Amino acid sequence: MNETLKYTDINTIPCLTWNWLKMNRASLEVQANSEIISEKKEITATKKGEVVYLPLVFEDGKRYEHEQVITAEENAEITVIMDYTSAKNAGGFSSIKTKLVAHPYSKIHLVKVQLLGSNYVQIDDTTGECDDGSKIEVTQIELGGSKVYAQVKNELNGYESKFKSDTAYITENGQILDMNYVVNHHGAKTDTKMIVKGVVGDAALKVYRGTIDFKRGCTDATGDEQEETLLMSKTAINKSIPMILCDEENVAGTHGATLGRLGADELFYMQSRGISEEEAKVMMKKAKILSTASLIPSEELREKIENFLG
C-alpha cells in the first residue's frame, strides 16, 4: 500500500532571495510505500588509514530510510564510501541522513555515488562538524534517479578546521537535481573549497545553491566556491546561486560560476579528427564526471561509474 509524502521545506537557502526566482527552498510530493525499510549505522575511527565501504542496494517499489553517524576521534583518519545502486528502471523512495563528526586534528573523507534507477526519488542530507585542526572532505557523484534532493551542511567550529567538497553530476531525460551546500565558518583561520561541475541536458532541471557564511569571530577565514555547468540542449534548465555571507571583517571569500555549451570550434576540432558530434558530447559529459571520480579511492567503484555512463 502506498501513501502520499509531502515535503514543503527541502534545501532551504540560508539567506532568502526573491520568491519569483523559486530558489529559496524545494518542495516534494511523492507516492511511497507505507512499509519502511530502515537501517542505522554508527562508525567510529580511532586510527589513521581506516576505509569503510557501505554498499546500499535499493529494490524496485521499496521505501528506505538510512542513517549513518561517522565519527573520527582525535588524530584519526577515515574514508567512508557509500554506493547507492538499483536496477536500471527501478523506482521507489529513499531518505538518507549522514552525520559527520571530526574531532581535533582528524580527517573524514566521505564518498557518495548515486547510481539509482530512472524512477527513484531520493532525499540525501549530510551534516558535518569540525573541531580544531580537523578536515572533512565530501566527494559526491549524482547520476541516476528521477528526482534527487541533495544537501551538504558543515560547521567549521574549530581553529584552522577545513571543509572541501567535489561534486559532479549529469542531469538529463527530464531528471530533477536540487542541491544545497552550506558551510558556516565559526573558528578563526578556517577554510572552505567547494567545486561543482556537471551537465544538464534534454528537458532536465538542475538547481544549485552554494553558501559560504563567515560568522562573527572567524577572523582570517578563507572560502572559495566554483561551479561549471555544461548545457547540452535548448530545453535544459539551470538555476544557480553562489553566495557569500559575511559578518566578520578580516576574511577572504571568492565565488564563480560558468555556464556554457559545446562550442562550434570544439566540435570542428573533434570532427576534423574523425569524432562525430554525438561522440564529442559523450566525451565531454564523461570528462566532467571522471575528473571528480578520480578522487575516489576505489578502482572498482570508478569502473562502475564508467559502466553506468555507457
Side-chain angles (χ1 to χ4, degrees):
M1 181 180 294
N2 287 349
E3 64 176 303
T4 302
L5 304 178
K6 294 183 179 181
Y7 299 88
T8 59
D9 198 13
I10 309 173
N11 291 356
T12 302
I13 197 168
C15 184
L16 301 182
T17 63
W18 294 279
N19 283 327
W20 61 268
L21 290 174
K22 297 182 179 179
M23 291 189 66
N24 286 330
R25 62 184 61 82
S27 60
L28 171 67
E29 183 173 316
V30 60
Q31 293 291 319
N33 198 315
S34 57
E35 181 181 347
I36 302 173
I37 302 171
S38 61
E39 183 180 31
K40 181 175 181 178
K41 289 183 178 291
E42 294 189 12
I43 301 168
T44 301
T46 58
K47 58 184 179 180
K48 294 184 178 181
E50 296 190 44
V51 179
V52 177
Y53 181 52
L54 290 180
L56 300 178
V57 180
F58 299 85
E59 296 181 9
D60 187 39
K62 301 293 186 179
R63 175 181 172 185
Y64 296 88
E65 289 186 0
H66 290 96
E67 185 175 352
Q68 305 84 31
V69 179
I70 302 166
T71 303
E73 298 293 354
E74 187 169 352
N75 292 313
E77 293 183 6
I78 186 171
T79 297
V80 179
I81 301 173
M82 299 176 63
D83 171 14
Y84 315 154
T85 58
S86 69
K88 184 177 180 180
N89 296 314
F93 178 72
S94 163
S95 173
I96 295 180
K97 294 182 179 180
T98 307
K99 183 178 180 180
L100 310 174
V101 180
H103 288 297
Y105 310 103
S106 67
K107 179 180 177 181
I108 299 175
H109 183 194
L110 175 66
V111 177
K112 288 190 171 186
V113 177
Q114 185 268 109
L115 307 174
L116 292 175
S118 58
N119 294 303
Y120 246 95
V121 177
Q122 184 176 76
I123 298 176
D124 190 352
D125 189 16
T126 303
T127 60
E129 301 173 4
C130 289
D131 286 337
D132 290 350
S134 65
K135 183 177 183 179
I136 287 178
E137 292 186 12
V138 176
T139 303
Q140 193 154 348
I141 293 181
E142 301 283 353
L143 296 178
S146 63
K147 297 178 181 179
V148 176
Y149 301 84
Q151 177 170 257
V152 178
K153 297 180 72 175
N154 201 77
E155 306 292 332
L156 294 176
N157 297 319
Y159 177 76
E160 288 191 340
S161 56
K162 297 180 179 180
F163 174 80
K164 181 176 183 288
S165 66
D166 292 272
T167 306
Y169 63 87
I170 295 177
T171 306
E172 54 190 0
N173 299 321
Q175 290 175 297
I176 295 175
L177 174 61
D178 190 294
M179 297 179 286
N180 188 36
Y181 281 64
V182 181
V183 181
N184 293 315
H185 288 249
H186 302 280
K189 292 190 176 182
T190 48
D191 180 66
T192 291
K193 287 183 174 62
M194 296 193 293
I195 299 174
V196 180
K197 58 180 70 174
V199 178
V200 188
D202 304 318
L205 167 64
K206 186 227 80 181
V207 179
Y208 172 71
R209 309 169 190 84
T211 304
I212 297 174
D213 192 350
F214 295 110
K215 303 289 188 179
R216 186 176 295 274
C218 69
T219 182
D220 295 320
T222 54
D224 180 44
E225 57 175 321
Q226 301 294 329
E227 184 191 14
E228 301 175 12
T229 305
L230 181 63
L231 293 179
M232 284 294 189
S233 77
K234 294 181 179 179
T235 55
I237 300 174
N238 176 79
K239 296 182 178 182
S240 298
I241 294 186
M243 183 163 56
I244 293 179
L245 304 176
C246 188
D247 195 28
E248 180 60 56
E249 292 184 2
N250 192 24
V251 297
T254 57
H255 63 72
T258 59
L259 178 67
R261 302 182 186 274
L262 190 58
D265 292 341
E266 293 169 301
L267 281 175
F268 177 78
Y269 176 84
M270 293 182 180
Q271 288 173 335
S272 67
R273 282 152 180 78
I275 301 172
S276 69
E277 181 176 348
E278 190 59 37
E279 289 172 328
K281 289 181 177 180
V282 171
M283 289 173 62
M284 294 295 290
K285 288 197 294 185
K286 284 188 174 182
K288 293 286 187 185
I289 302 302
L290 297 181
S291 63
T292 300
S294 65
L295 302 173
I296 299 174
S298 168
E299 183 177 354
E300 180 181 354
L301 187 52
R302 293 196 299 269
E303 290 179 357
K304 190 173 181 179
I305 292 169
E306 287 197 59
N307 292 335
F308 189 91
L309 293 172

